[in-house]
């Protein structure tokens, strides 16, 4: 998936992830009539996004501010907080929490980033057609040939553990995330959440188990009744269901092959079903707490300087691009998407302009998006243009502040 930034940079990695079968035919001009009047203006995409956000105010969360050297909010610049403490589904943005737990275990000597991991262990958790081709992209980046479903041709190939972390953050590979969750352990992830004071952050779950609970060859229906049945389960019951399905996929060869065959032949998806499933069944968090994470990481105060530094090493992958290097001293991001929702927290330290040398934090969560709006925003990434505009343009930041006051 190609994402175009405000500065015309084409980023060729998959940033918007866990997108299953979204139609690719919608153009940027096809914003759903239910949210009109909004006309896309290519010369001013940031203002287009702002008007969408105002019309969808109940379904979005936005936080923006300048962070000081300790990661706290500076009052010297406009502060925007809209629905900042409303829990919302996170999609793959939640992988930032997994990254933090990994970074801490490396610093504690529990995990070795140079440990070699067989691709066969990684791909135990790979569920084709459910990650927006992220796994294809991850294998491509490592020079590993794969078949038409995205499985490595040579299962004996080994990669460093840290390469799986890169796959999780850069390509947003779900299988890598699930492997890391299994290695780190849910208790360690909960410890990070508690240590960081993320009071509204729900613990990550296996993407494999999550998707299998929604559809597999034994339960192929895509309807809202299924979502309601799953939502009626207690947290313990739902986690047990996901764990059982994950174990079955990993350990029962015939069941695994039947599910893969089912997904391979899946011709369409029910957009309302996946929107409802994403809203009700996936882990949630708040824009305010992800702003806190981003501010802490860029200031070196999240958990510890060492943990923050290791997280920056992965979150700042866009710094490899000359167009980003030219404009920013630091730029870190971990976004996510799923049908009907886009989440995009970032930090940026501009080299020039109104906020030169300052740590700018912007977090945007959009949920319950009409299908055409979701497809258009995903394909054009104009939401990133909006966030970078806030991060670099003081007048626009003040305009957004006033719009939401």
């Amino acid at each position: 998936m190609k994402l175009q930034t405000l500065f015309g940079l084409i980023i060729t990695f998959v940033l918007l992830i866990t997108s299953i079968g979204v139609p690719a035919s919608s153009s940027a001009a096809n914003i759903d009539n239910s949210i009109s009047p909004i006309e896309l203006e290519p010369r001013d995409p940031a203002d287009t996004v702002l008007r969408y956000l105002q019309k969808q105010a109940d379904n979005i969360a936005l936080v923006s501010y300048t962070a000081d050297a300790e990661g706290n909010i500076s009052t010297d610049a406009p502060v925007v907080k809209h629905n900042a403490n409303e829990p919302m589904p996170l999609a793959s943005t939640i992988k930032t929490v997994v990254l933090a737990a990994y970074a801490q275990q490396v610093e504690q000597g529990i995990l070795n980033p140079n440990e070699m991991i067989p691709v066969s262990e990684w791909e135990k958790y790979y569920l084709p057609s459910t990650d927006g081709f992220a796994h294809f992209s991850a294998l491509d980046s490592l020079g590993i040939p794969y078949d038409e479903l995205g499985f490595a041709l040579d299962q004996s190939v080994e990669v460093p553990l840290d390469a799986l972390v890169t796959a999780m953050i850069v390509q947003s590979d779900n299988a890598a995330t699930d492997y890391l969750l299994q290695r780190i352990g849910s208790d360690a992830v909960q410890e990070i959440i508690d240590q960081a004071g993320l009071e509204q952050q729900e613990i990550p779950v296996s993407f494999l188990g999550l998707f299998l609970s929604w559809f597999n060859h034994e339960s192929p229906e895509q309807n809202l009744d299924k979502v309601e049945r799953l939502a009626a389960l207690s947290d313990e019951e739902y986690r047990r269901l996901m764990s059982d399905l994950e174990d079955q996929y990993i350990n029962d060869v015939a069941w695994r092959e039947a599910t893969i065959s089912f997904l391979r032949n899946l011709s369409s998806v029910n957009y309302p079903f996946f929107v409802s499933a994403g809203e009700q069944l996936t882990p949630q968090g708040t824009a305010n707490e992800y702003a806190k994470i981003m501010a802490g990481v860029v200031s070196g105060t999240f958990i510890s300087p060492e943990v923050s530094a290791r997280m920056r090493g992965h979150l700042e992958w866009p710094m490899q691009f000359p167009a980003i290097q030219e404009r920013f001293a630091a730029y870190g991001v971990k976004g996510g998407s799923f049908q009907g929702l886009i989440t995009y927290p970032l930090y940026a330290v501009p080299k020039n302009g109104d906020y030169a040398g300052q740590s700018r934090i912007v977090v945007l969560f959009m949920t319950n998006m009409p299908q055409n709006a979701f497809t258009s925003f995903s394909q054009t990434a104009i939401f990133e243009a909006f966030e970078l505009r806030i991060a670099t343009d003081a007048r626009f930041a003040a305009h957004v502040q006033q719009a939401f006051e």
Side-chain angles (χ1 to χ4, degrees), residues 65-83:
Y65 56 80
T66 295
D68 63 21
E70 286 73 43
N72 299 316
I73 299 175
S74 170
T75 57
D76 295 335
V79 176
V80 180
K81 288 197 174 188
H82 176 75
N83 289 335

Side-chain angles (χ1 to χ4, degrees), residues 63 65 84-100 189 193 197-198 200-204 283-298 302 311 315 332 334-335 343-347 361-365:
V63 175
Y65 56 80
N85 294 309
E86 289 294 322
M88 292 187 175
L90 297 167
S92 284
T93 289
I94 200 171
K95 293 170 183 176
T96 309
V97 175
V98 182
L99 172 63
V189 179
I193 292 171
L198 307 178
Q200 295 177 285
Q201 174 63 60
E202 295 181 343
I203 194 164
Q284 299 193 347
T286 67
N288 207 35
E289 291 188 343
Y290 275 83
K292 176 181 178 180
I293 293 172
M294 290 295 175
V297 169
V298 71
F302 185 73
M311 291 179 69
L315 293 173
K334 178 68 199 97
T343 53
Y344 209 74
L346 66 80
Y347 61 78
I361 311 300
V362 188
V363 179
L364 174 61
F365 291 173

Side-chain angles (χ1 to χ4, degrees), residues 84-138:
N85 294 309
E86 289 294 322
M88 292 187 175
L90 297 167
S92 284
T93 289
I94 200 171
K95 293 170 183 176
T96 309
V97 175
V98 182
L99 172 63
Y102 164 79
Q104 184 169 62
Q105 288 203 345
V106 169
E107 296 308 314
Q108 292 172 341
I110 298 172
L111 292 177
N112 177 4
N114 298 315
E115 177 189 352
M116 300 304 292
I117 309 300
V119 113
S120 58
E121 291 298 307
W122 174 8
E123 290 192 337
K124 284 181 179 179
Y125 302 89
Y126 174 50
L127 189 64
S129 305
T130 60
D131 67 355
F133 300 101
H135 192 66
F136 286 77
S137 182

Side-chain angles (χ1 to χ4, degrees), residues 130-188:
T130 60
D131 67 355
F133 300 101
H135 192 66
F136 286 77
S137 182
L139 294 180
D140 266 335
S141 70
L142 293 166
I144 300 175
Y146 48 82
D147 64 21
E148 70 278 5
L149 290 176
F151 287 99
L153 294 175
D154 184 353
Q155 291 285 298
S156 67
V157 171
E158 296 184 337
V159 299
L161 181 61
D162 205 59
L164 294 189
V165 182
T166 298
M168 175 179 70
I169 297 300
V170 179
Q171 288 85 26
S172 213
D173 185 277
N174 292 337
T177 308
D178 288 349
Y179 176 82
L180 288 163
L181 276 172
Q182 174 265 326
R183 289 293 305 273
I184 294 166
S186 58
D187 289 346

